[in-house]
Amino acid sequence: DFDYWLLKFCNCSTLDPPVATFSVSDTAFCQTRCVKFVDVSDCYSARQWLFPGGNPGSSTSQIPVICYPDSGYYPVTLISISPNGTDTLVKNNYITVHPFPSLPIIMQSGDTLISSIATSYQWYDSSYSSINGATAQFFIPDTSGYYYVCVKNIYGCENCSNTIYYITTGLEFDAGETQLTIKILPNPARDETIIHLSSRSSIIKGY
């Protein structure tokens, strides 16, 4: 959202030609963002904007809002028109639109979730809340559930992964257990592992 208050005093004689000039809310930003241009020209009666790469690509409004869906460098042209002539202002490569980072991919290795490489990371849980301190490429959840990661590139543009369902694994046994024997066969394992649990007083669960 934008709010602008314009107060401009013009002292144009009937013979003065127009002088084209404009301002913009931002000149460098991430793709898909929209910015607002403001015509502050002198001695004009009409105008024509040209926005190659923008949407819309042209306008006659004093304060047009232009969106840039794709990354790149884009010119802006303002033509001020009056009965005394025209003035054309062209600013080449005036708008810089930064790209989003690639969609991050999450892989799981053992109990660890691993994001594809980016400049910075933030992990989230299924409630869409950011996980405090989870800002590394690697993350080990402590509970089962859905997780995803959002990454940023050097320009600060952000992209978020699809969710992945993570299942915690481990052994659960009674707190009063005093004698517990665990055998893992074979060791080292290749394709299959057999776990033998024996206890005198507890019920052991593998999950």
Side-chain angles (χ1 to χ4, degrees):
D1 295 332
F2 303 91
D3 290 315
Y4 281 87
W5 290 87
L6 298 179
L7 182 61
K8 186 174 180 64
F9 296 94
C10 296
N11 184 21
C12 298
S13 72
T14 56
L15 299 179
D16 286 338
V19 178
T21 185
F22 64 86
S23 63
V24 64
S25 57
D26 200 354
T27 59
F29 44 86
C30 301
Q31 63 186 104
T32 72
R33 183 179 167 188
C34 302
V35 291
K36 181 168 287 188
F37 293 84
V38 182
D39 181 1
V40 290
S41 302
D42 287 322
C43 307
Y44 67 94
S45 57
R47 72 184 65 81
Q48 178 65 57
W49 296 93
L50 299 175
F51 302 105
N55 184 22
S58 63
S59 177
T60 58
S61 170
Q62 183 183 6
I63 310 177
V65 176
I66 308 299
C67 302
Y68 289 86
D70 300 313
S71 61
Y73 301 92
Y74 300 101
V76 176
T77 298
L78 174 61
I79 305 170
S80 295
I81 306 165
S82 81
N84 299 318
T86 63
D87 186 37
T88 300
L89 175 60
V90 179
K91 295 190 177 184
N92 290 312
N93 296 328
Y94 184 63
I95 297 297
T96 300
V97 183
H98 299 303
F100 288 129
S102 299
L103 181 73
I105 303 299
I106 300 176
M107 298 174 291
Q108 184 171 347
S109 177
D111 62 352
T112 304
L113 299 180
I114 307 170
S115 170
S116 50
I117 296 176
T119 300
S120 65
Y121 312 85
Q122 177 62 64
W123 292 88
Y124 293 81
D125 60 23
S126 57
S127 66
Y128 302 100
S129 298
S130 59
I131 301 171
N132 187 36
T135 56
Q137 183 182 4
F138 306 91
F139 175 60
I140 303 176
D142 55 10
T143 58
S144 298
Y146 287 97
Y147 294 90
Y148 67 97
V149 65
C150 292
V151 301
K152 292 184 179 180
N153 57 21
I154 59 174
Y155 306 111
C157 302
E158 185 178 70
N159 206 351
C160 297
S161 71
N162 296 319
T163 58
I164 185 172
Y165 190 75
Y166 178 92
I167 301 176
T168 57
T169 58
L171 297 175
E172 176 184 317
F173 59 92
D174 186 83
E177 175 59 46
T178 57
Q179 293 184 359
L180 173 65
T181 301
I182 301 177
K183 293 182 180 180
I184 301 177
L185 300 171
N187 186 12
R190 176 174 296 179
D191 297 322
E192 183 177 276
T193 299
I194 300 174
I195 301 177
H196 294 282
L197 304 176
S198 62
S199 172
R200 291 185 178 181
S201 60
S202 297
I203 298 175
I204 311 300
K205 298 178 181 178
Y207 60 96

